[in-house]
Amino acid sequence: MNAVLDHQADGDGRVRVSLSELVALRGRVARLRMPPQDSRATRIGAQSSRLYGRGMDYAESRAYQPGDDVRRMDWRLTARSGRLHTKLFQEEREGQLLILLDHNPSMRFGTRTRFKCVQAARAAALAAWYAIKAGERIGLVAFGENQYLQRPRGGVRGALDVCGMLAKCDAVPSNQSQPLSQALQHVIKLQHGANRAFLISDGQSGDAPARDRLLEMMRHTAVRLLIVADVMELQAVPPGSYPIEHDGERRQLALHSLPQREAFQHSLGEGQVRLAAMAASLGIPYRIIDTAADPLEAVSALLHNGGRSR
């Protein structure tokens, strides 16, 4: 349902993603005091080490980035390619965060402050800036009728690429829904190297088979979930008559009795309740935020230590 009950909520960053806002969110993350953490993968049965070279297995080489230790330069690959490359070793392999963004039609809905899709994009951008600040590479998969892929990349350029992709996919709304299980099946084929996945959804696309797909992902990747909901999906609205728009047609929705209002809230919020229950059953840390909330605390809590399910 493409709808907005408050027709005044129209403007840049409210019903459409603002690229300038997503980029500006870098400043908010920059002011955070990052908790001590080592984003590099730890080998099973061994302590992670900051040392490199001796007794460590070579993992891969990647393009040189400012700040890399010159003692780890891959001179052979540099000579062959004509571009500077640096070596990574198993114990210091870079962390990699893959953002999974729900781009289904149900996300283009909102009654307070902004649409869910705009709030989700803001949360995704914050996650990108947070991951880059923590030294991780960042990638994005947006799923719905149209799918978008931004392959993992490190540094400020990686976060900027994600922000650009968020604005790009928002400009082409989905008209048909893609089940979460189908989207996850596609993601599983792409998640090689990603040690963390951050799913952002309103839960409306959640289906029963998604549970098995999430369980499969969790064998190799730490999954975190942020559920974005409208306030009408979280609580019954006050009595009244509400204008709604669906498929370009405006109508008045009368919600006066408590049973009417509770039934309406239940029908709208069923998806987020279902996805939250699925996450809880699998032990996936999750948070629920509404469209008027500041997503920074929820995003940083989930990406730091998984937060607490609530």
Side-chain angles (χ1 to χ4, degrees), residues 15-233:
V15 300
R16 291 289 184 182
V17 166
S18 167
L19 177 58
S20 60
E21 179 189 12
L22 301 186
V23 174
L25 289 173
R26 178 188 181 186
R28 296 197 61 202
V29 176
R31 292 191 292 271
L32 290 177
R33 294 186 62 183
M34 300 294 288
Q37 64 178 5
D38 188 352
S39 64
R40 296 170 295 191
T42 304
R43 292 187 298 184
I44 297 176
Q47 294 291 325
S48 178
S49 172
R50 294 182 181 275
L51 301 177
Y52 53 86
R54 296 180 181 176
M56 297 179 63
D57 297 328
Y58 167 78
E60 61 181 345
S61 292
R62 61 150 169 79
Y64 174 84
Q65 297 177 1
D68 286 343
D69 195 318
V70 295
R71 292 173 295 176
R72 291 182 286 174
M73 296 296 296
D74 188 335
W75 296 112
R76 292 185 179 180
L77 182 55
T78 295
R80 291 199 305 268
S81 66
R83 297 178 57 196
L84 292 174
H85 283 76
T86 188
K87 292 181 179 180
L88 297 179
F89 296 88
Q90 187 63 35
E91 285 191 3
E92 58 174 354
R93 185 189 294 271
E94 290 174 307
Q96 182 171 302
L97 176 68
L98 184 62
I99 298 174
L100 314 178
L101 181 70
D102 192 333
H103 182 52
N104 280 306
S106 64
M107 296 291 288
R108 196 164 290 278
F109 174 84
T111 66
R112 301 293 189 279
T113 310
R114 56 183 63 89
F115 275 5
K116 289 186 288 185
C117 59
V118 174
Q119 181 73 312
R122 296 171 74 236
L126 285 168
W129 291 119
Y130 190 97
I132 295 304
K133 185 177 176 67
E136 295 180 297
R137 304 178 75 192
I138 180 71
L140 170 71
V141 175
F143 61 91
E145 179 183 16
N146 306 300
Q147 292 194 358
Y148 298 84
L149 169 65
Q150 180 62 55
R151 296 193 177 278
R153 188 171 186 176
V156 173
R157 182 62 182 272
L160 288 175
D161 286 348
V162 167
C163 291
M165 185 61 72
L166 290 170
K168 179 180 178 180
C169 67
D170 180 75
V172 186
S174 293
N175 295 313
Q176 297 181 0
S177 295
Q178 181 185 32
L180 180 58
S181 61
Q182 186 180 104
L184 292 177
Q185 184 62 47
H186 176 67
V187 169
I188 289 171
K189 300 176 182 178
L190 302 172
Q191 73 179 61
H192 300 296
N195 59 311
R196 297 204 290 173
F198 189 43
L199 172 61
I200 306 174
S201 173
D202 66 351
Q204 300 295 339
S205 63
D207 54 346
R211 189 181 192 279
D212 290 336
R213 301 290 80 78
L214 285 169
L215 190 60
E216 185 176 354
M217 284 187 65
M218 292 170 64
R219 294 172 183 165
H220 307 285
T221 307
V223 179
R224 302 291 182 261
L225 169 65
L226 181 66
I227 298 175
V228 177
D230 184 78
V231 67
M232 294 184 69
E233 298 169 338

